[in-house]
Amino acid sequence: MDIQNLIDSIAHDVAPYLAQGRPADYIPALAQESPQQFAMAVATLDGGLYATGLADKRFSIQSISKAFMLAHTLQRHGEALWQRVGKEPSGNPFNSLVQLEYEHGIPRNPFINAGALVVTDIAISEFGDSSSALRSLLREESGEPAIDFDYVIAASEAEHGHRNAALGHFMKSCNNINGGVDQLLAHYFRACSIRMNVRELARAGLFLANHGASPVSGQQRLSRSQAKQINAIMLTCGTYDAAGEFAYRVGLPCKSGVGGGILAILPGKMSIAVWSPGLDARGNSLAGLEALDRFTTRSGESVF
Ligand code: GLU
């Protein structure tokens, strides 16, 4: 497969879709991104790195951080994590409050906001400064020490983060948050604010493609079984309430973020990152989904 040729032609083909998406506006600092931007990168386990579009431009990874935070925390805390958060798709928007009340403060999965807050609470108990621990992991796995938080975005989200605060306080009332809610939110917003470009993100995903062993840092980040578990949850829960459509059209475990990034994993072969800030109605990058659909359809590669 000529990966460079394929992604260059995909970048050309998705251009008409760029105008159709809308950047997230509930975090004002994200609303300023022009939707006319696109980048895609593929990192392969045999050492290849291919990129097209604005591949050097860093963007806020937002909920893609949830996949890495889960991996880091599951590796450290182990199976006990699943006593506090489920593994099922929610079928509800990522920031929904309703389900949480009738399910007694146990979030459906680690990729909706409530679930990520629980994982972050566990991460604080394991690592102390959980957002810095995540930043270190991403620096090591991308090979790029300059990766950092975006404090402007984190502050913008904190100022408007009333729903996340509500989720945190509600779960605290259900005894599913151990630490302080203010500290929890600060770590969660900082983790979401991390900026990376598609090259860095694709490289950082390689340990998920390589059954937990990182070809970048040389570390065994997850057991083979845990890498399978993270990929399974990405496939079933990683793209908000559009996970069924992603499985149908893309056929890869994916994790998206409202900054317009999507990380996709082809176990045993490669990691793919795509970015375009215009989102569809369910919060996924509109051109990003189109690009990943074309990538797996034209290459014939997917998990199925
Ligand atoms: N920081 C965002 C929030 O909590 C993340 C949302 C996302 O990317 O899905 O609303």
Side-chain angles (χ1 to χ4, degrees):
M1 173 180 18
D2 183 341
I3 295 177
Q4 188 63 53
N5 203 10
L6 176 58
I7 62 177
D8 284 342
S9 94
I10 288 171
H12 176 265
D13 292 353
V14 301
Y17 291 93
L18 300 181
Q20 294 179 25
R22 280 171 48 93
D25 54 9
Y26 75 101
I27 303 174
L30 293 180
Q32 292 156 13
E33 288 285 2
S34 160
Q36 294 288 344
Q37 301 179 89
F38 178 83
M40 186 168 191
V42 178
T44 59
L45 289 181
D46 58 12
L49 185 59
Y50 310 87
T52 193
L54 298 169
D56 293 325
K57 177 149 182 194
R58 292 200 171 117
F59 57 91
S60 176
I61 64 170
Q62 291 296 315
S63 279
I64 301 171
S65 65
K66 292 175 177 149
F68 292 102
M69 186 68 96
L70 176 64
H72 212 19
T73 309
L74 182 63
Q75 196 270 337
R76 179 73 77 99
H77 193 73
E79 284 293 295
L81 181 144
W82 302 117
Q83 287 164 15
R84 293 176 54 190
V85 59
K87 314 181 188 78
E88 297 297 339
S90 72
N92 279 306
F94 66 97
N95 56 4
S96 172
L97 287 148
V98 280
Q99 198 169 43
L100 199 54
E101 177 154 25
Y102 61 76
E103 295 187 354
H104 313 293
I106 306 290
R108 272 287 174 102
N109 69 67
F111 291 159
I112 52 175
N113 285 8
L117 287 167
V118 169
V119 172
T120 303
D121 185 57
I122 298 171
I124 292 169
S125 69
E126 291 288 351
F127 299 104
D129 185 347
S130 67
S131 48
S132 295
L134 178 71
R135 180 178 59 180
S136 299
L137 177 140
L138 291 172
R139 286 175 172 174
E140 288 167 22
E141 291 310 330
S142 64
E144 181 45 77
I147 285 170
D148 214 340
F149 309 123
D150 184 321
Y151 292 100
V152 173
I153 289 180
S156 176
E157 186 166 8
E159 203 181 322
H160 298 85
H162 304 297
R163 288 189 79 88
N164 285 320
L167 293 168
H169 284 290
F170 179 72
M171 291 190 293
K172 180 91 187 163
S173 79
C174 300
N175 298 318
N176 199 18
I177 295 294
N178 292 334
V181 174
D182 289 347
Q183 164 188 251
L184 172 65
L185 292 170
H187 279 285
Y188 171 78
F189 294 145
R190 268 204 297 280
C192 289
S193 81
I194 290 174
R195 293 172 77 93
M196 298 173 76
N197 64 39
V198 284
R199 275 198 191 91
E200 294 159 348
L201 197 52
R203 267 166 75 78
L206 280 173
F207 76 92
L208 293 170
N210 197 34
H211 310 296
S214 168
V216 181
S217 68
Q219 295 192 51
Q220 187 73 41
R221 287 285 178 192
L222 297 168
S223 68
R224 194 179 175 99
S225 168
Q226 287 169 331
K228 175 198 72 180
Q229 293 164 358
I230 306 276
N231 276 293
I233 296 169
M234 288 172 71
L235 182 74
T236 53
C237 309
T239 46
Y240 312 118
D241 44 341
E245 189 182 355
F246 266 75
Y248 181 88
R249 289 183 60 186
V250 180
L252 295 178
C254 293
K255 184 71 205 86
S256 56
V258 295
I262 307 174
L263 174 68
I265 304 296
L266 180 53
K269 290 199 173 156
M270 63 184 76
S271 162
I272 307 158
V274 60
W275 171 65
S276 185
L279 307 181
D280 63 19
R282 288 188 284 195
N284 294 300
S285 172
L286 194 146
L289 171 56
E290 294 296 332
L292 289 169
D293 179 344
R294 281 163 180 73
F295 186 86
T296 53
T297 304
R298 290 192 201 158
S299 67
E301 298 275 9
S302 81
V303 296
F304 299 110

